[in-house]
Amino acid sequence: MNDHTLIEELTAVRVLGGLDDADFRLLGEELDAHGPACEECRVIEESFSEVAGRLAFSLDSMPLTEDAGGRIMSSVLGEAADVSEDVKAAVLQVDEDTFAEERPATGRGRGGRPRAWMRVVAAGVAAALLLAGGIGLGYLTIPRGESAQQAVARCVSGATVTRFSAENGGQLAYTSKSGSTDVCVVGSGVRPPPPGKVYQLWTISGKTPSPGPTFVPQDGTVLVTLRANLAGSQLMAVTIEPSGGSLQPTSDPVFTAPIEA
Amino acid sequence: MQRVARGDEDAFRQLFARYSGTANALAFRIVRQMHLAEDIVQEAFLAVWRKPEGYVADRGSVRSWLMSLVHNRAVDLVRREESIRRRAAEVASDPGEPAQDLATQVAEQVGLPEERAAVRSALSDIPEEQRRVIELMYFGGLSQSMIADRLAIPLGTVKSRSLLAMRRMRKTLMGMER
């Protein structure tokens, strides 16, 4: 038995879930001896893993019940759907003083009345969330591994506010902090996109757009938190894209806002 | 998966609709209890959503990666003494005919019948004694030594049958001959 045959044999059993502890350790030792750059070991591992995974498809499908499917989807996507109370609390913590203290003298808060406008938006978001009663909270993208409250609170606390120019009505702004990648996009009165469409955020450097998350306002309210490195970009834009988003914009921006160095 | 990694819920729903039925079938085949199978499916899809970076496109297909998440969880579960005890008590119970989600059924039909036929054909092409080992190990959740005891064959024979079966299926399914 050559040295790869042993690895191949042990890997075959491992991907099928049958390897005992002693052989598991032996496989680890053999792989270590070959090193991570061993192409043969990599091919064995990947090809046998692929075959093992496909074995599941020999079974007849057993669709989940509607109840189970709904429960699972709710649980998984609950990172967005089940955090309404957290978000509500976080947004309610945002007061006008926070923005006033951090608003730069450079006029970064655009639109003439960012403080007043932000007050309206914050209140509007909070009101919308309160009215939603935990059912709808607009759209929220939370960085993985972080609670909604942590994400929103971190995003808006001490942030500066930049207002988007709107082509189709509605109000949208993003918050950012120097030296931080935390960005929060909030809005109110934003029209729903056409059926089958979503809004998508973009950052634009020169003439090159970089895709961001998609969102759909709920009752006109937008609340998106994300992490984005704005350095080197000059513009943030929002377009209307097919559901699921696009890698390149397929329509003209409906919201644009400058990104100042 | 790129869209899922960007937090695209629509993409995740499509992935769920396409593969949750097979994931559930695999989990149920191993753990033999519907509620445990559903828990495993939930855990697996939660892992997909929370840690999509676990999938590396160069290393294999999404479907195989996803089923490995389900399989690992199911095998871990049946290896625990408590679950084995419960499984033995309920293995004969009939889960009944649940009301199935029509949309999920329709979504799963896209392309998967051919995959099922291909995998079944590959399984049927290997010798019966090798197939038996594969079934006990992959679908039964038994370890190599458990299978050796069950079939009263040497442990080395279990390993060699596993290897020969996997090589043959790899050749059939992936065109790889080594």
Side-chain angles (χ1 to χ4, degrees):
Chain A
M1 182 180 288
N2 68 40
D3 54 1
H4 275 109
T5 301
L6 176 58
I7 286 177
E8 195 178 13
E9 182 178 83
L10 295 175
T11 301
V13 178
R14 187 190 65 74
V15 298
L16 291 168
L19 208 57
D20 289 330
D21 288 346
D23 275 345
F24 194 87
R25 286 192 293 274
L26 176 59
L27 176 58
E29 291 166 4
E30 288 292 319
L31 291 172
D32 287 345
H34 284 240
C38 179
E39 178 68 9
E40 183 79 6
C41 292
R42 184 190 66 78
V43 170
I44 290 169
E45 164 68 25
E46 291 177 6
S47 61
F48 276 168
S49 293
E50 178 70 19
V51 170
R54 291 177 68 177
L55 280 173
F57 292 90
S58 66
L59 301 173
D60 284 326
S61 174
M62 186 184 288
L64 295 156
T65 63
E66 288 186 40
D67 283 350
R71 175 171 51 78
I72 291 172
M73 289 300 293
S74 174
S75 170
V76 174
L77 297 180
E79 290 183 345
D82 292 338
V83 294
S84 53
E85 292 303 317
D86 276 352
V87 174
K88 188 193 302 179
V91 172
L92 287 172
Q93 288 174 4
V94 178
D95 63 42
E96 62 223 44
D97 292 335
T98 299
F99 294 99
E101 289 170 3
E102 299 298 327
R103 186 157 55 91
T106 59
R108 187 166 186 173
R110 298 176 71 86
R113 294 181 295 112
R115 178 180 176 185
W117 182 81
M118 199 61 223
R119 187 186 308 147
V120 171
V121 170
V125 170
L129 292 170
L130 286 168
L131 287 171
I135 297 172
L137 49 80
Y139 186 92
L140 179 65
T141 301
I142 302 167
R144 291 183 172 86
E146 187 175 51
S147 75
Q149 185 166 11
Q150 288 171 324
V152 176
R154 174 177 44 73
C155 215
V156 301
S157 176
T160 57
V161 182
T162 304
R163 185 175 181 173
F164 285 78
S165 298
E167 296 294 325
N168 296 332
Q171 295 177 310
L172 201 65
Y174 73 87
T175 66
S176 60
K177 288 180 280 192
S178 178
S180 170
T181 57
D182 297 331
V183 175
C184 193
V185 178
V186 292
S188 64
V190 179
R191 296 174 183 171
K197 304 282 188 178
V198 294
Y199 288 101
Q200 185 168 7
L201 279 165
W202 305 86
T203 54
I204 299 170
S205 176
K207 294 183 178 180
T208 305
S210 297
T214 62
F215 63 89
V216 176
Q218 188 147 5
D219 296 328
T221 299
V222 173
L223 181 54
V224 182
T225 70
L226 64 150
R227 286 182 176 145
N229 184 1
L230 302 182
S233 298
Q234 296 84 43
L235 194 67
M236 188 178 293
V238 176
T239 61
I240 295 176
E241 301 295 332
S243 180
S246 303
L247 294 176
Q248 293 289 329
T250 62
S251 64
D252 292 331
V254 292
F255 293 97
T256 55
I259 298 172
E260 295 180 12
Chain B
M1 271 306 297
Q2 290 177 341
R3 288 167 55 199
V4 172
R6 294 204 308 262
D8 185 330
E9 293 187 9
D10 285 343
F12 181 81
R13 290 179 196 281
Q14 290 173 27
L15 191 74
F16 184 81
R18 186 168 177 77
Y19 294 122
S20 61
T22 299
N24 192 41
L26 176 60
F28 180 75
R29 176 71 175 263
I30 297 170
V31 302
R32 301 283 182 173
Q33 291 186 67
M34 188 62 79
H35 71 282
L36 292 178
E38 290 171 356
D39 287 348
I40 288 166
V41 172
Q42 178 174 329
E43 282 183 25
F45 277 94
L46 190 60
V48 170
W49 180 243
R50 284 183 171 169
K51 295 186 176 178
E53 65 273 14
Y55 171 67
V56 180
D58 292 344
R59 294 181 184 169
S61 65
V62 172
R63 62 188 172 197
S64 283
W65 173 67
L66 179 54
M67 292 310 148
S68 73
L69 296 178
V70 174
H71 187 259
N72 291 341
R73 283 164 172 75
V75 169
D76 284 348
L77 195 149
V78 297
R79 295 271 172 86
R80 291 176 208 147
E81 187 176 354
E82 172 65 10
S83 68
I84 290 175
R85 183 186 61 75
R86 283 185 293 177
R87 179 185 180 213
E90 299 186 29
V91 67
S93 67
D94 182 357
E97 292 293 330
Q100 295 173 343
D101 183 342
L102 183 60
T104 300
Q105 285 180 285
V106 171
E108 204 188 43
Q109 291 311 306
V110 181
L112 289 186
E114 291 82 1
E115 172 68 0
R116 292 192 199 292
V119 177
R120 286 171 182 169
S121 175
L123 268 173
S124 68
D125 281 347
I126 60 177
E128 167 63 26
E129 68 271 16
Q130 294 174 18
R131 186 163 57 247
R132 182 68 177 142
V133 169
I134 296 291
E135 287 173 350
L136 289 171
M137 195 176 286
Y138 187 78
F139 295 114
L142 299 184
S143 70
Q144 55 188 12
S145 53
M146 290 173 173
I147 294 170
D149 289 344
R150 173 81 65 91
L151 300 181
I153 57 177
L155 180 58
T157 302
V158 174
K159 294 186 206 175
S160 62
R161 286 181 182 176
S162 301
L163 173 61
L164 292 173
M166 291 296 283
R167 279 179 173 170
R168 184 118 175 203
M169 285 191 294
R170 179 172 62 185
K171 178 184 177 185
T172 304
L173 293 172
M174 302 175 70
M176 281 181 63
E177 189 165 18
R178 303 178 67 83

